[in-house]
């Protein structure tokens, strides 16, 4: 596979960092080379958050992504301007259209609009928006399988969260469904 | 044990505890604060002691005390904090006591930035404290290697009775990678028959720093350098990457080396005969790696304005063979710029 470099961006509390960890762990479980790297700095609670995930067949060189990302998952408006242009030509941009009313004005990338907050509310848990967006991402990018995300779930969040696996599975599938309806 | 995904700072803490470290004295600073946090949480569970000191200076002197009592002890910080610890590092060195010091480097000079950097090579490898001395300096390039090197560092410190510095950077501290704790067999450690054991518990031992008689101090320094000779002979480590038929060699350590490796792979695909020499011990520096007649240029790459490059020039004994490219101030190198610089040096190598 081509080395996948994926940025997750949003605000603190949306599950930006944990979405990245889930994808990274799933990649590791599939035997791929992986890295996860957060942006770190003087941030306030509720401020912007982003992380970079690399999934590859080769040892990961730089865990930081400054250009040529293969995909970006953008969860809020302040992250939109910063991350839309980090994705290389032919890449994929997943937009949380619940919080972002702008359209991506590029014709060289695949863009998927996912009303993640609304879908999460429908499923019954607003915290699931990041999981829905992962579903949309893997539907297009095939970074890892849906099963690997589920297998990674308790590794990242702990065994005591296993009871939430069914609702998370539903969230991933809603994300996949939403993405597939747009291609 | 299977692989787990861990943040570098926490993995280093876990490795230290597995190596038998039971004392940690430190003070928080970005980008290494998860390491003291981990130790504060985990050390008490194994009967260990964590103290957040009032400053880096008191932390390193607590390390001096615990080391003198024969404990496996660690402190960690990032660049400006390591600068503050230099006096204590010199004292521990002079007293021939074992300690492990972790530096997750950030950009400087001064308070600088919190982003990753490799600009403390001079401070940690050349000696940021006073007097005639060296410390063993290990430079991990991945989180797995950081774990392995921490475990090795405690052994090296106990065998040679010296501070050992883990010189990594903010990226190694902050990122997560798969890592395995294999409980690799540790080396045989000499009995600590010099340790201060307290009043009334056997023979009297002394830990001291002051030697007012120049001849005495000179003799001790000569002994110190006999020890350093042994370390140079036995403990020097480096990695050759695609060097067999190489005509050009990148030289890089730590985070830079992993980025350079991907540049080497790209250049190899285009037919360039280039490899990488990666020092794993920065002191002792792997001088023998640079005694190759078939190398036209050594291309030194660092996240600094050029520090290790001095050692490369000394080691290959031809300053004209060495060129340098670096980024400073917390800017992380990209493999694309390394490829471009490599091509500008190799020109018509194809």
């Amino acid at each position: 596979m081509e080395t996948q470099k994926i940025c997750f961006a949003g605000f603190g509390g949306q599950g930006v960092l944990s979405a990245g960890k889930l994808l990274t762990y799933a990649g590791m479980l599939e035997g791929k080379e992986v890295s996860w790297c957060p942006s770190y700095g003087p941030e306030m609670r509720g401020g912007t958050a982003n992380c970079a995930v690399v999934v590859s067949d080769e040892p990961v060189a730089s865990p930081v992504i400054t250009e040529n990302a293969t995909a970006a998952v953008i969860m809020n408006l302040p992250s939109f301007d910063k991350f839309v242009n980090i994705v290389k030509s032919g890449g994929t941009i997943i937009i949380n259209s619940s919080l972002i009313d702008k359209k991506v004005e590029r014709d060289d990338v695949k863009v998927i609009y996912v009303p993640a907050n609304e879908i999460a509310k429908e499923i019954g848990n607003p915290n699931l928006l990041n999981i829905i967006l992962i579903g949309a991402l893997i539907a297009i990018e095939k970074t890892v399988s849906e099963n690997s995300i589920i297998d990674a779930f308790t590794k990242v969040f702990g065994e005591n969260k296993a009871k939430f696996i069914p609702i998370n599975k539903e969230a991933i599938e809603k994300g996949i469904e939403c993405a597939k309806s747009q291609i | 044990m299977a692989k787990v995904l861990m943040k570098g700072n926490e993995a280093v803490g876990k490795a230290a505890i597995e190596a038998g470290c039971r004392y940690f004295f430190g003070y928080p600073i970005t980008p290494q604060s998860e390491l003291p946090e981990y130790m504060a949480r985990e050390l008490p569970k194994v009967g260990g002691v964590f103290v957040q000191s009032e400053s880096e200076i008191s932390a390193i002197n607590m390390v001096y005390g615990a080391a003198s009592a024969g404990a496996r002890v660690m402190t960690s910080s990032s660049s400006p904090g390591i600068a503050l610890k230099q006096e204590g590092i010199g004292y521990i060195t002079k007293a021939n006591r074992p300690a492990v010091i972790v530096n997750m480097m950030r950009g400087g000079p001064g308070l600088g930035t919190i982003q990753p950097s490799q600009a403390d090579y001079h401070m940690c490898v050349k000696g940021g404290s006073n007097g005639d001395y060296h410390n063993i300096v290990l430079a991990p390039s991945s989180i797995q290697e950081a774990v392995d090197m921490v475990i090795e560092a405690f052994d090296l410190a106990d065998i040679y009775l010296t501070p050992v510095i883990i010189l990594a950077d903010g990226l190694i501290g902050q990122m997560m990678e798969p890592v395995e704790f294999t409980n690799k067999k540790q080396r045989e450690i000499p009995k600590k028959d010099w340790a201060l054991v307290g009043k009334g518990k056997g023979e009297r031992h002394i830990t001291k720093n002051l030697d007012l008689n120049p001849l005495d101090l000179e003799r001790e320094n000569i002994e110190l350098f006999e020890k350093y000779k042994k370390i140079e002979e036995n403990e020097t480590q480096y990695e050759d990457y695609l060097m067999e038929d190489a005509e050009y060699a990148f030289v890089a350590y730590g985070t830079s080396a992993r980025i350079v490796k991907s540049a080497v792979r790209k250049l190899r695909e285009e037919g360039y005969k280039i490899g990488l020499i990666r020092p794993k011990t920065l002191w002792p520096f792997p001088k023998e790696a640079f005694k190759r007649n078939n190398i036209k240029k050594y291309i030194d790459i660092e996240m600094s304005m050029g520090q290790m490059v001095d050692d490369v020039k000394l080691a290959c004994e031809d300053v004209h063979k060495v060129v340098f490219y670096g980024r400073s101030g917390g800017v992380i190198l990209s493999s694309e710029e390394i490829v471009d610089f490599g091509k500008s040096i190799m020109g018509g190598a194809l």
Side-chain angles (χ1 to χ4, degrees):
Chain A
M1 67 186 264
E2 186 200 1
T3 295
Q4 296 207 4
K5 301 177 178 182
I6 301 153
C7 293
F8 290 84
F11 61 78
Q14 284 185 307
V16 176
L17 303 185
S18 55
K21 281 183 200 171
L22 203 53
L23 187 69
T24 310
Y25 221 117
M28 183 181 85
L29 292 177
E30 291 190 3
K32 300 194 169 97
E33 301 280 351
V34 296
S35 71
W36 172 92
C37 192
S39 66
Y40 63 92
E43 294 288 0
M44 60 183 177
R45 205 169 280 268
T48 57
N50 68 78
C51 68
V53 174
V54 181
V55 180
S56 180
D57 291 330
E58 287 186 351
V60 178
S62 175
V64 175
I65 304 170
T66 50
E67 56 185 358
N68 291 324
T70 55
V73 178
I74 302 173
M75 303 195 196
N76 72 343
L77 194 56
S79 304
F80 183 89
D81 295 327
K82 203 173 158 196
F83 285 90
V84 158
N85 291 318
I86 210 170
V87 177
K88 68 174 196 176
S89 189
T92 298
I93 301 176
I94 311 287
I95 298 284
N96 177 12
S97 58
S98 300
L99 298 183
I100 302 167
D101 53 8
K102 278 196 196 169
K103 296 284 174 200
V104 177
E105 287 173 7
R106 285 179 63 176
D107 51 15
D108 61 337
V109 288
K110 285 186 271 293
V111 186
I112 305 293
Y113 296 93
V114 183
N117 292 54
E118 278 85 15
I119 298 174
K121 256 179 242 157
E122 279 166 30
I123 301 173
N125 186 339
N127 294 336
L128 290 167
L129 81 113
N130 59 342
I131 308 294
I132 293 161
L133 292 165
I134 288 182
L137 175 77
I138 61 170
I140 307 297
E141 292 294 287
K142 316 272 186 235
T143 315
V144 294
S145 72
E146 182 191 339
N147 285 341
S148 299
I149 297 280
I150 295 298
D151 291 343
F153 188 80
T154 50
K155 306 275 187 195
V156 173
F157 298 109
E159 289 295 337
N160 60 344
K161 299 281 163 49
K163 58 180 185 262
F164 296 115
I165 287 178
I167 196 169
N168 276 272
K169 205 165 155 47
E170 191 185 344
I172 294 173
E173 278 157 12
K174 289 279 185 197
I176 292 173
E177 199 180 296
C178 178
K180 282 192 173 161
S181 71
Q182 294 178 48
I183 48 175
Chain B
M1 197 180 148
K3 279 189 177 174
V4 289
L5 193 67
M6 268 186 107
K7 205 168 192 184
N9 284 328
E10 297 195 337
V12 164
K14 185 172 166 64
I17 291 175
E18 295 221 340
C21 172
R22 290 295 176 269
Y23 297 87
F24 184 98
F25 309 106
Y27 188 84
I29 180 173
T30 306
Q32 64 84 53
S33 291
E34 294 87 353
L35 177 44
E37 265 175 42
Y38 182 89
M39 294 308 244
R41 189 173 72 235
E42 299 298 328
L43 262 180
K45 294 181 188 168
V46 293
V49 172
F50 168 88
V51 178
Q52 181 178 318
S53 57
E54 72 271 35
S55 77
E56 287 84 350
I57 299 168
S58 61
I60 192 68
N61 285 296
M62 290 176 194
V63 170
Y64 182 18
S68 298
R72 282 204 152 177
V73 55
M74 183 191 245
T75 187
S76 68
S77 192
S78 181
S79 307
I82 296 291
L84 283 166
K85 290 183 197 287
Q86 289 303 324
E87 181 191 61
I89 291 172
Y91 277 46
I92 299 168
T93 305
K94 169 70 181 77
N96 292 299
R97 293 295 175 253
V100 176
I101 297 144
V102 178
N103 181 3
M104 295 292 180
M105 289 183 278
R106 56 188 250 183
L111 211 45
T113 177
I114 58 175
Q115 299 304 323
S117 162
Q118 296 182 313
D120 296 354
Y121 185 94
H122 280 160
M123 174 169 71
C124 291
V125 177
K126 298 298 173 186
S129 198
N130 59 300
D132 285 321
Y133 84 101
H134 296 290
N135 290 146
I136 298 175
V137 182
L138 307 176
S141 186
S142 67
I143 296 179
Q144 182 66 58
E145 196 171 49
V147 163
D148 297 341
M149 281 181 170
V150 165
I151 292 169
E152 188 181 14
F154 279 99
D155 286 355
L156 290 171
D158 278 350
I159 291 167
Y160 294 105
L161 302 181
T162 177
V164 178
I165 297 172
I166 303 287
L167 193 64
D169 62 69
L171 211 52
I172 298 282
Q174 289 298 318
M175 70 189 283
M176 288 178 107
E177 269 187 327
V179 62
E180 203 168 5
F181 292 84
T182 51
N183 289 322
K184 214 168 47 176
K185 196 187 172 300
Q186 296 177 22
R187 296 205 220 175
E188 200 163 314
I189 304 303
K191 207 164 160 252
K192 294 183 173 178
D193 52 9
W194 41 262
L196 307 186
V197 289
K199 192 172 177 232
K201 294 180 189 163
E203 65 181 287
R204 183 184 185 214
H205 297 153
I206 295 171
T207 288
K208 68 180 180 108
N209 247 271
L210 189 65
D211 266 315
L212 290 173
N213 182 339
L215 285 173
D216 281 350
L217 184 55
E218 186 188 47
R219 181 181 46 74
E220 284 186 28
N221 284 344
I222 289 168
E223 281 170 15
L224 195 59
F225 275 70
E226 281 166 3
K227 176 166 88 178
Y228 292 153
K229 194 160 172 281
K230 247 185 247 167
I231 297 173
E232 284 182 306
E233 282 165 8
N234 299 318
E235 308 298 346
T236 305
Q237 297 174 32
Y238 67 95
E239 179 196 4
D240 270 356
Y241 182 71
L242 303 179
M243 283 298 295
E244 298 79 21
D245 61 340
E247 292 171 1
Y248 291 85
F250 282 119
V251 188
Y253 71 97
T255 289
S256 294
R258 57 190 291 150
I259 302 169
V260 169
K261 273 187 186 175
S262 74
V264 169
R265 289 194 291 269
K266 276 181 208 153
L267 288 164
R268 282 269 171 188
E269 275 170 25
E270 293 181 34
Y272 289 93
K273 289 192 171 175
I274 188 159
L276 164 70
I277 300 168
R278 176 171 75 91
K280 293 161 76 174
T281 53
L282 300 179
W283 194 90
F285 192 73
K287 293 175 196 156
E288 66 274 27
F290 300 91
K291 309 273 186 266
R292 306 177 205 230
N293 297 325
N294 50 338
I295 298 299
K296 292 179 183 150
K297 291 273 185 210
Y298 294 99
I299 308 170
D300 181 89
I301 308 283
E302 300 175 51
M303 294 198 308
S304 78
M305 296 301 288
Q307 300 193 13
M308 179 174 73
V309 63
D310 297 350
D311 278 335
V312 176
K313 284 177 184 166
L314 284 170
C316 81
E317 295 176 23
D318 184 353
V319 291
H320 305 294
K321 269 195 175 181
V322 182
V323 291
F324 169 78
Y325 181 80
R327 298 300 297 268
S328 176
V331 179
I332 296 159
L333 289 155
S334 75
S335 59
E336 289 80 8
E337 65 188 316
I338 298 168
V339 165
D340 289 347
F341 185 74
K343 283 182 183 172
S344 78
I345 297 303
M346 292 186 285
L350 274 175

